[in-house]
Amino acid sequence: MRERTRNHPLREELRATLRLAGPLALANMLQMAVFAIDVIFVARLGQEALAASSLAVAIVAVVMMGLNGVTGAVAPLIAAEIGRRRNSVREVRRSARMALWLALGLGLVAVGICFFGERIMLLTGQSPRISAISGHFIRVISLALVPMAVANVLRTFVSALGRPVFATVITALSIGVNALGNYALVFGNLGMPALGLTGSALASTITACVTVLAYVVAIRNDRNLRRFHVFGRFWRPEWQRLRQMLRLGLPISATLIAEGGLFSGAAFLMGLVGEVELAAHTVALQIAAFAFQVPFGIGQAATIRVGYHYGAGDRDAIARAGWVAIAIGLGFVGLSALAMLLIPRTIISAYVDVSAPANAALVALAVQYLFVAAIFQLTDGVQAIAAGVLRGVQDTRIPAVIAIVGYWLAGFATSVALGLFTPLRGVGVWIGLAVGLTVAAILLLGRWHWRGRFGLVPERSMPISAPIVALS
């Protein structure tokens, strides 16, 4: 009886998902720590510098999400190929190679877009001075986009192949690199020139390049990963695989851009409300985004776990993997919401001095924004994981439509109405964020619940040829 309980499919799926999601979520949180280092250093340059950098990062973040969306299609493809066990080495290599092609090609296009950052900010009504400072910052930090896109592909590759801990270790390494770079280049330490905001942007670019190098070293020194020869015959095109990746990846990109655009758009709205409101929004959003990295990591793990079973044609295992991931995510976001409600000033103190009189207005506003963030933690987590499980069954087009409807028609419209035309101001903008995330969560969860009715999974389970959980 004890052995039967230990090997229960639900329990095995729970263990496998946690083994995969744990390192990915931790890596995501560490990545946020990398970004937080930038905010911490820039915040000490003053509110003007913080406001300018937040606007620049808002644009870069949306562009980066678009890149990660297209190249992120490699996750369900690799997972399904491993699940089928059909020429997995060759098929996985083809998918990874085409994802790297897209990372390089689209990354260069993204750099070109970012060079128009100042013009974009002026068109949205930002002040000329803030726009000029931010425009220069974005031109420098855009150089990090290509290595960041490449790193995202390599991170997905090692995770799908059962080495998610590599992502954790490498991201931890990048924290040290970024902290050292900011320390040296922002304020002119270690014999380097004091470059201010430009120094922070250069530190981010250096960190991205070091991250790619670390993944290359890890892949070449791991026996299981090395056998895929992921960098072999890099010049050889696989046009069918590239088209397949674009077919899956472009809707994912649209989904991520819609979500990222919602938050970036909120930053621009805050810029219209006021400079202090924008600075408070930046701090509060950093905190909310940090907490979001756990359900986001669970969603990434769910894409891989569901993708394994989708490739194997196991209908029951697909359902089990999806619901287990959603349950794990709900458990965590409940705890993070409580923390935001009970100790908001303690959390904010990690970013700014809450006792300084000069920061009083900023802290008061950030506390209000965190109250709203605590409320939408549940729906934010659900929508992230539901999107992840749907990607596992290679369903990306309708979720993209849901994202646009939820985030923009419901969310952003509410933010504009409440933020610019009512006394709620910044709080109204955050209420709009909550509305958008909640609508998306309900629609995505409904699509997952009725996945059989929509023809997203096999009509019945088929036998699998190997224990998929061994790769978790």
Short mmCIF file of all heavy atoms in Angstrom, two decimals, residues 102-159:
data_model
loop_
_atom_site.label_atom_id
_atom_site.label_comp_id
_atom_site.label_asym_id
_atom_site.label_seq_id
_atom_site.Cartn_x
_atom_site.Cartn_y
_atom_site.Cartn_z
N LEU A 102 16.18 32.87 -34.80
CA LEU A 102 15.19 33.91 -34.55
C LEU A 102 15.69 34.90 -33.50
O LEU A 102 15.44 36.10 -33.60
CB LEU A 102 13.88 33.27 -34.08
CG LEU A 102 13.08 32.52 -35.15
CD1 LEU A 102 11.88 31.81 -34.53
CD2 LEU A 102 12.61 33.47 -36.25
N ALA A 103 16.38 34.39 -32.49
CA ALA A 103 16.90 35.27 -31.45
C ALA A 103 17.88 36.28 -32.03
O ALA A 103 17.85 37.47 -31.67
CB ALA A 103 17.59 34.44 -30.36
N LEU A 104 18.73 35.83 -32.93
CA LEU A 104 19.71 36.73 -33.54
C LEU A 104 19.06 37.70 -34.52
O LEU A 104 19.28 38.92 -34.46
CB LEU A 104 20.79 35.91 -34.25
CG LEU A 104 21.71 35.08 -33.35
CD1 LEU A 104 22.58 34.15 -34.20
CD2 LEU A 104 22.58 35.98 -32.49
N GLY A 105 18.23 37.18 -35.41
CA GLY A 105 17.63 38.02 -36.44
C GLY A 105 16.65 39.03 -35.89
O GLY A 105 16.74 40.24 -36.16
N LEU A 106 15.70 38.55 -35.11
CA LEU A 106 14.70 39.45 -34.54
C LEU A 106 15.30 40.36 -33.47
O LEU A 106 14.82 41.48 -33.26
CB LEU A 106 13.54 38.64 -33.96
CG LEU A 106 12.73 37.82 -34.97
CD1 LEU A 106 11.62 37.05 -34.26
CD2 LEU A 106 12.15 38.72 -36.05
N GLY A 107 16.35 39.88 -32.81
CA GLY A 107 17.02 40.71 -31.82
C GLY A 107 17.61 41.96 -32.43
O GLY A 107 17.53 43.05 -31.86
N LEU A 108 18.20 41.82 -33.62
CA LEU A 108 18.76 42.99 -34.31
C LEU A 108 17.66 43.96 -34.73
O LEU A 108 17.83 45.18 -34.67
CB LEU A 108 19.57 42.54 -35.53
CG LEU A 108 20.86 41.77 -35.21
CD1 LEU A 108 21.50 41.25 -36.50
CD2 LEU A 108 21.84 42.66 -34.45
N VAL A 109 16.52 43.43 -35.15
CA VAL A 109 15.38 44.29 -35.48
C VAL A 109 14.92 45.05 -34.24
O VAL A 109 14.61 46.25 -34.30
CB VAL A 109 14.22 43.45 -36.05
CG1 VAL A 109 12.98 44.32 -36.26
CG2 VAL A 109 14.64 42.80 -37.37
N ALA A 110 14.90 44.36 -33.10
CA ALA A 110 14.47 44.99 -31.85
C ALA A 110 15.40 46.12 -31.44
O ALA A 110 14.94 47.16 -30.94
CB ALA A 110 14.41 43.94 -30.74
N VAL A 111 16.70 45.95 -31.66
CA VAL A 111 17.65 47.02 -31.36
C VAL A 111 17.31 48.26 -32.18
O VAL A 111 17.32 49.39 -31.68
CB VAL A 111 19.09 46.56 -31.62
CG1 VAL A 111 20.06 47.73 -31.49
CG2 VAL A 111 19.48 45.44 -30.65
N GLY A 112 17.00 48.05 -33.46
CA GLY A 112 16.64 49.17 -34.32
C GLY A 112 15.40 49.90 -33.82
O GLY A 112 15.32 51.14 -33.85
N ILE A 113 14.41 49.15 -33.33
CA ILE A 113 13.19 49.76 -32.81
C ILE A 113 13.50 50.64 -31.60
O ILE A 113 12.99 51.75 -31.47
CB ILE A 113 12.17 48.67 -32.44
CG1 ILE A 113 11.68 47.96 -33.70
CG2 ILE A 113 10.99 49.27 -31.67
CD1 ILE A 113 10.79 46.76 -33.43
N CYS A 114 14.38 50.15 -30.74
CA CYS A 114 14.69 50.88 -29.51
C CYS A 114 15.41 52.21 -29.78
O CYS A 114 15.38 53.10 -28.93
CB CYS A 114 15.54 50.01 -28.59
SG CYS A 114 14.61 48.68 -27.81
N PHE A 115 16.05 52.34 -30.92
CA PHE A 115 16.72 53.59 -31.23
C PHE A 115 15.74 54.74 -31.47
O PHE A 115 16.12 55.89 -31.56
CB PHE A 115 17.65 53.41 -32.44
CG PHE A 115 19.05 53.01 -32.06
CD1 PHE A 115 19.31 51.76 -31.52
CD2 PHE A 115 20.09 53.91 -32.19
CE1 PHE A 115 20.60 51.39 -31.15
CE2 PHE A 115 21.38 53.55 -31.82
CZ PHE A 115 21.64 52.30 -31.29
N PHE A 116 14.45 54.40 -31.59
CA PHE A 116 13.41 55.42 -31.72
C PHE A 116 12.71 55.66 -30.38
O PHE A 116 11.62 56.22 -30.35
CB PHE A 116 12.39 55.01 -32.78
CG PHE A 116 12.95 54.94 -34.18
CD1 PHE A 116 13.43 53.74 -34.68
CD2 PHE A 116 13.03 56.07 -34.96
CE1 PHE A 116 13.95 53.66 -35.97
CE2 PHE A 116 13.55 56.01 -36.25
CZ PHE A 116 14.02 54.80 -36.75
N GLY A 117 13.34 55.23 -29.30
CA GLY A 117 12.73 55.31 -27.98
C GLY A 117 12.33 56.73 -27.58
O GLY A 117 11.23 56.96 -27.07
N GLU A 118 13.21 57.70 -27.81
CA GLU A 118 12.91 59.07 -27.41
C GLU A 118 11.70 59.61 -28.17
O GLU A 118 10.83 60.27 -27.58
CB GLU A 118 14.12 59.96 -27.67
CG GLU A 118 13.89 61.42 -27.25
CD GLU A 118 15.11 62.29 -27.47
OE1 GLU A 118 16.19 61.75 -27.83
OE2 GLU A 118 15.00 63.52 -27.28
N ARG A 119 11.62 59.28 -29.45
CA ARG A 119 10.49 59.76 -30.24
C ARG A 119 9.18 59.14 -29.73
O ARG A 119 8.14 59.81 -29.67
CB ARG A 119 10.70 59.40 -31.71
CG ARG A 119 9.65 59.93 -32.65
CD ARG A 119 10.01 59.67 -34.10
NE ARG A 119 11.29 60.29 -34.45
CZ ARG A 119 11.86 60.19 -35.64
NH1 ARG A 119 11.26 59.47 -36.59
NH2 ARG A 119 12.99 60.77 -35.89
N ILE A 120 9.25 57.86 -29.36
CA ILE A 120 8.06 57.18 -28.83
C ILE A 120 7.58 57.87 -27.56
O ILE A 120 6.38 58.11 -27.37
CB ILE A 120 8.36 55.69 -28.56
CG1 ILE A 120 8.63 54.96 -29.89
CG2 ILE A 120 7.20 55.03 -27.82
CD1 ILE A 120 9.12 53.54 -29.72
N MET A 121 8.51 58.22 -26.69
CA MET A 121 8.14 58.87 -25.43
C MET A 121 7.54 60.25 -25.66
O MET A 121 6.56 60.63 -25.00
CB MET A 121 9.36 58.96 -24.53
CG MET A 121 9.84 57.61 -24.03
SD MET A 121 11.40 57.72 -23.16
CE MET A 121 12.09 56.14 -23.55
N LEU A 122 8.10 60.99 -26.59
CA LEU A 122 7.54 62.31 -26.89
C LEU A 122 6.13 62.19 -27.46
O LEU A 122 5.25 63.01 -27.14
CB LEU A 122 8.45 63.04 -27.88
CG LEU A 122 9.81 63.51 -27.33
CD1 LEU A 122 10.67 64.05 -28.46
CD2 LEU A 122 9.63 64.57 -26.25
N LEU A 123 5.89 61.16 -28.27
CA LEU A 123 4.56 60.97 -28.84
C LEU A 123 3.53 60.63 -27.78
O LEU A 123 2.33 60.87 -27.98
CB LEU A 123 4.60 59.85 -29.91
CG LEU A 123 5.33 60.19 -31.21
CD1 LEU A 123 5.42 58.98 -32.10
CD2 LEU A 123 4.62 61.34 -31.94
N THR A 124 3.98 60.04 -26.66
CA THR A 124 3.04 59.69 -25.58
C THR A 124 2.86 60.83 -24.59
O THR A 124 2.19 60.65 -23.57
CB THR A 124 3.53 58.43 -24.83
OG1 THR A 124 4.83 58.68 -24.26
CG2 THR A 124 3.60 57.24 -25.76
N GLY A 125 3.48 61.97 -24.85
CA GLY A 125 3.25 63.14 -24.00
C GLY A 125 4.20 63.30 -22.84
O GLY A 125 3.95 64.12 -21.95
N GLN A 126 5.31 62.54 -22.81
CA GLN A 126 6.28 62.68 -21.72
C GLN A 126 7.06 63.99 -21.89
O GLN A 126 7.17 64.54 -22.99
CB GLN A 126 7.24 61.49 -21.70
CG GLN A 126 6.56 60.13 -21.67
CD GLN A 126 5.61 59.95 -20.50
OE1 GLN A 126 5.94 60.31 -19.37
NE2 GLN A 126 4.43 59.42 -20.77
N SER A 127 7.61 64.49 -20.80
CA SER A 127 8.34 65.76 -20.86
C SER A 127 9.58 65.61 -21.73
O SER A 127 10.22 64.56 -21.75
CB SER A 127 8.75 66.18 -19.44
OG SER A 127 9.82 65.39 -18.97
N PRO A 128 9.96 66.67 -22.46
CA PRO A 128 11.13 66.59 -23.34
C PRO A 128 12.41 66.23 -22.60
O PRO A 128 13.24 65.47 -23.13
CB PRO A 128 11.21 67.99 -23.95
CG PRO A 128 9.81 68.50 -23.89
CD PRO A 128 9.23 67.93 -22.63
N ARG A 129 12.59 66.75 -21.39
CA ARG A 129 13.83 66.47 -20.64
C ARG A 129 13.91 64.99 -20.26
O ARG A 129 14.92 64.32 -20.48
CB ARG A 129 13.92 67.33 -19.39
CG ARG A 129 15.13 67.02 -18.53
CD ARG A 129 15.34 68.03 -17.41
NE ARG A 129 16.40 67.61 -16.51
CZ ARG A 129 17.70 67.70 -16.79
NH1 ARG A 129 18.09 68.19 -17.96
NH2 ARG A 129 18.59 67.30 -15.92
N ILE A 130 12.82 64.46 -19.68
CA ILE A 130 12.79 63.04 -19.31
C ILE A 130 12.95 62.17 -20.55
O ILE A 130 13.66 61.16 -20.54
CB ILE A 130 11.48 62.70 -18.57
CG1 ILE A 130 11.43 63.41 -17.20
CG2 ILE A 130 11.35 61.19 -18.38
CD1 ILE A 130 12.45 62.91 -16.22
N SER A 131 12.32 62.57 -21.64
CA SER A 131 12.39 61.78 -22.88
C SER A 131 13.81 61.74 -23.42
O SER A 131 14.28 60.71 -23.92
CB SER A 131 11.45 62.36 -23.93
OG SER A 131 10.11 62.29 -23.51
N ALA A 132 14.53 62.87 -23.34
CA ALA A 132 15.91 62.92 -23.84
C ALA A 132 16.82 62.02 -23.02
O ALA A 132 17.63 61.26 -23.57
CB ALA A 132 16.41 64.36 -23.82
N ILE A 133 16.70 62.11 -21.70
CA ILE A 133 17.52 61.27 -20.82
C ILE A 133 17.21 59.80 -21.05
O ILE A 133 18.10 58.95 -21.18
CB ILE A 133 17.28 61.64 -19.34
CG1 ILE A 133 17.71 63.08 -19.07
CG2 ILE A 133 18.04 60.69 -18.42
CD1 ILE A 133 17.34 63.58 -17.70
N SER A 134 15.91 59.50 -21.11
CA SER A 134 15.48 58.12 -21.29
C SER A 134 15.87 57.58 -22.66
O SER A 134 16.22 56.40 -22.81
CB SER A 134 13.97 58.03 -21.09
OG SER A 134 13.52 56.70 -21.09
N GLY A 135 15.79 58.43 -23.69
CA GLY A 135 16.14 57.99 -25.04
C GLY A 135 17.58 57.55 -25.16
O GLY A 135 17.89 56.55 -25.82
N HIS A 136 18.49 58.29 -24.52
CA HIS A 136 19.90 57.89 -24.55
C HIS A 136 20.09 56.58 -23.80
O HIS A 136 20.82 55.68 -24.27
CB HIS A 136 20.76 58.98 -23.91
CG HIS A 136 22.21 58.61 -23.81
ND1 HIS A 136 23.04 58.53 -24.90
CD2 HIS A 136 22.97 58.26 -22.72
CE1 HIS A 136 24.25 58.16 -24.52
NE2 HIS A 136 24.23 57.99 -23.20
N PHE A 137 19.43 56.44 -22.66
CA PHE A 137 19.54 55.21 -21.86
C PHE A 137 19.07 54.00 -22.66
O PHE A 137 19.72 52.95 -22.67
CB PHE A 137 18.71 55.37 -20.58
CG PHE A 137 18.71 54.16 -19.69
CD1 PHE A 137 19.74 53.95 -18.79
CD2 PHE A 137 17.68 53.25 -19.74
CE1 PHE A 137 19.74 52.84 -17.96
CE2 PHE A 137 17.67 52.13 -18.92
CZ PHE A 137 18.71 51.93 -18.02
N ILE A 138 17.95 54.15 -23.37
CA ILE A 138 17.39 53.00 -24.08
C ILE A 138 18.27 52.59 -25.26
O ILE A 138 18.35 51.41 -25.60
CB ILE A 138 15.95 53.31 -24.55
CG1 ILE A 138 15.23 52.02 -24.92
CG2 ILE A 138 15.93 54.25 -25.73
CD1 ILE A 138 13.77 52.23 -25.25
N ARG A 139 18.95 53.56 -25.89
CA ARG A 139 19.84 53.21 -27.00
C ARG A 139 21.00 52.34 -26.53
O ARG A 139 21.43 51.43 -27.23
CB ARG A 139 20.36 54.47 -27.67
CG ARG A 139 19.34 55.17 -28.56
CD ARG A 139 19.98 56.24 -29.43
NE ARG A 139 20.45 57.38 -28.63
CZ ARG A 139 19.71 58.42 -28.30
NH1 ARG A 139 18.43 58.47 -28.68
NH2 ARG A 139 20.22 59.41 -27.59
N VAL A 140 21.49 52.61 -25.34
CA VAL A 140 22.61 51.82 -24.81
C VAL A 140 22.13 50.44 -24.34
O VAL A 140 22.71 49.42 -24.68
CB VAL A 140 23.31 52.57 -23.66
CG1 VAL A 140 24.46 51.73 -23.10
CG2 VAL A 140 23.83 53.91 -24.15
N ILE A 141 21.04 50.43 -23.58
CA ILE A 141 20.60 49.16 -23.01
C ILE A 141 20.02 48.22 -24.07
O ILE A 141 19.97 47.01 -23.88
CB ILE A 141 19.57 49.40 -21.88
CG1 ILE A 141 19.51 48.17 -20.96
CG2 ILE A 141 18.19 49.74 -22.44
CD1 ILE A 141 18.67 48.38 -19.72
N SER A 142 19.62 48.77 -25.22
CA SER A 142 19.09 47.91 -26.28
C SER A 142 20.15 46.95 -26.82
O SER A 142 19.81 45.91 -27.40
CB SER A 142 18.55 48.77 -27.43
OG SER A 142 19.60 49.45 -28.10
N LEU A 143 21.42 47.27 -26.60
CA LEU A 143 22.50 46.38 -27.05
C LEU A 143 22.47 45.05 -26.31
O LEU A 143 23.08 44.07 -26.75
CB LEU A 143 23.86 47.06 -26.85
CG LEU A 143 24.06 48.39 -27.60
CD1 LEU A 143 25.41 48.99 -27.25
CD2 LEU A 143 23.93 48.18 -29.10
N ALA A 144 21.74 45.00 -25.20
CA ALA A 144 21.63 43.75 -24.43
C ALA A 144 20.56 42.83 -24.99
O ALA A 144 20.47 41.66 -24.58
CB ALA A 144 21.33 44.07 -22.97
N LEU A 145 19.73 43.30 -25.91
CA LEU A 145 18.58 42.52 -26.37
C LEU A 145 18.97 41.22 -27.06
O LEU A 145 18.38 40.17 -26.81
CB LEU A 145 17.71 43.38 -27.29
CG LEU A 145 16.89 44.48 -26.61
CD1 LEU A 145 16.22 45.37 -27.64
CD2 LEU A 145 15.86 43.87 -25.67
N VAL A 146 19.96 41.28 -27.96
CA VAL A 146 20.35 40.07 -28.69
C VAL A 146 20.90 39.01 -27.75
O VAL A 146 20.43 37.86 -27.76
CB VAL A 146 21.36 40.39 -29.81
CG1 VAL A 146 21.91 39.10 -30.42
CG2 VAL A 146 20.69 41.23 -30.90
N PRO A 147 21.90 39.32 -26.90
CA PRO A 147 22.36 38.26 -25.98
C PRO A 147 21.28 37.80 -25.01
O PRO A 147 21.26 36.61 -24.63
CB PRO A 147 23.53 38.93 -25.24
CG PRO A 147 23.38 40.39 -25.46
CD PRO A 147 22.72 40.53 -26.79
N MET A 148 20.36 38.67 -24.61
CA MET A 148 19.28 38.24 -23.73
C MET A 148 18.35 37.26 -24.43
O MET A 148 17.90 36.28 -23.83
CB MET A 148 18.49 39.46 -23.24
CG MET A 148 19.24 40.30 -22.21
SD MET A 148 18.39 41.85 -21.80
CE MET A 148 16.95 41.23 -20.96
N ALA A 149 18.07 37.49 -25.71
CA ALA A 149 17.22 36.57 -26.48
C ALA A 149 17.90 35.22 -26.66
O ALA A 149 17.27 34.17 -26.54
CB ALA A 149 16.88 37.19 -27.83
N VAL A 150 19.19 35.24 -26.94
CA VAL A 150 19.94 33.99 -27.09
C VAL A 150 19.96 33.23 -25.77
O VAL A 150 19.77 32.00 -25.72
CB VAL A 150 21.38 34.28 -27.56
CG1 VAL A 150 22.24 33.02 -27.50
CG2 VAL A 150 21.37 34.84 -28.98
N ALA A 151 20.18 33.94 -24.68
CA ALA A 151 20.19 33.31 -23.35
C ALA A 151 18.85 32.67 -23.03
O ALA A 151 18.78 31.60 -22.41
CB ALA A 151 20.57 34.33 -22.29
N ASN A 152 17.76 33.30 -23.45
CA ASN A 152 16.44 32.75 -23.20
C ASN A 152 16.25 31.41 -23.91
O ASN A 152 15.66 30.47 -23.36
CB ASN A 152 15.36 33.73 -23.64
CG ASN A 152 13.96 33.24 -23.33
OD1 ASN A 152 13.58 33.07 -22.17
ND2 ASN A 152 13.17 32.99 -24.38
N VAL A 153 16.74 31.31 -25.15
CA VAL A 153 16.65 30.05 -25.88
C VAL A 153 17.46 28.96 -25.19
O VAL A 153 17.00 27.82 -25.00
CB VAL A 153 17.14 30.22 -27.33
CG1 VAL A 153 17.20 28.88 -28.05
CG2 VAL A 153 16.23 31.18 -28.08
N LEU A 154 18.67 29.29 -24.80
CA LEU A 154 19.54 28.30 -24.16
C LEU A 154 18.98 27.88 -22.80
O LEU A 154 19.09 26.72 -22.40
CB LEU A 154 20.95 28.86 -24.00
CG LEU A 154 21.65 29.21 -25.32
CD1 LEU A 154 23.05 29.76 -25.05
CD2 LEU A 154 21.73 27.99 -26.24
N ARG A 155 18.37 28.81 -22.09
CA ARG A 155 17.74 28.49 -20.82
C ARG A 155 16.59 27.50 -21.02
O ARG A 155 16.45 26.53 -20.27
CB ARG A 155 17.22 29.77 -20.18
CG ARG A 155 16.27 29.57 -19.01
CD ARG A 155 15.66 30.91 -18.62
NE ARG A 155 14.47 30.72 -17.83
CZ ARG A 155 14.27 31.27 -16.64
NH1 ARG A 155 15.20 32.03 -16.11
NH2 ARG A 155 13.16 31.07 -15.99
N THR A 156 15.78 27.72 -22.05
CA THR A 156 14.68 26.80 -22.34
C THR A 156 15.21 25.43 -22.72
O THR A 156 14.68 24.40 -22.29
CB THR A 156 13.82 27.36 -23.48
OG1 THR A 156 13.32 28.65 -23.11
CG2 THR A 156 12.65 26.45 -23.78
N PHE A 157 16.26 25.41 -23.50
CA PHE A 157 16.86 24.15 -23.94
C PHE A 157 17.33 23.32 -22.74
O PHE A 157 16.99 22.14 -22.60
CB PHE A 157 18.02 24.44 -24.88
CG PHE A 157 18.88 23.25 -25.20
CD1 PHE A 157 18.43 22.25 -26.06
CD2 PHE A 157 20.15 23.13 -24.65
CE1 PHE A 157 19.23 21.15 -26.35
CE2 PHE A 157 20.95 22.03 -24.93
CZ PHE A 157 20.49 21.04 -25.79
N VAL A 158 18.11 23.91 -21.85
CA VAL A 158 18.65 23.15 -20.72
C VAL A 158 17.53 22.73 -19.78
O VAL A 158 17.59 21.65 -19.17
CB VAL A 158 19.74 23.94 -19.96
CG1 VAL A 158 20.89 24.30 -20.88
CG2 VAL A 158 19.17 25.19 -19.30
N SER A 159 16.48 23.55 -19.64
CA SER A 159 15.38 23.22 -18.74
C SER A 159 14.56 22.05 -19.28
O SER A 159 14.21 21.13 -18.53
CB SER A 159 14.48 24.44 -18.53
OG SER A 159 15.19 25.51 -17.95
#
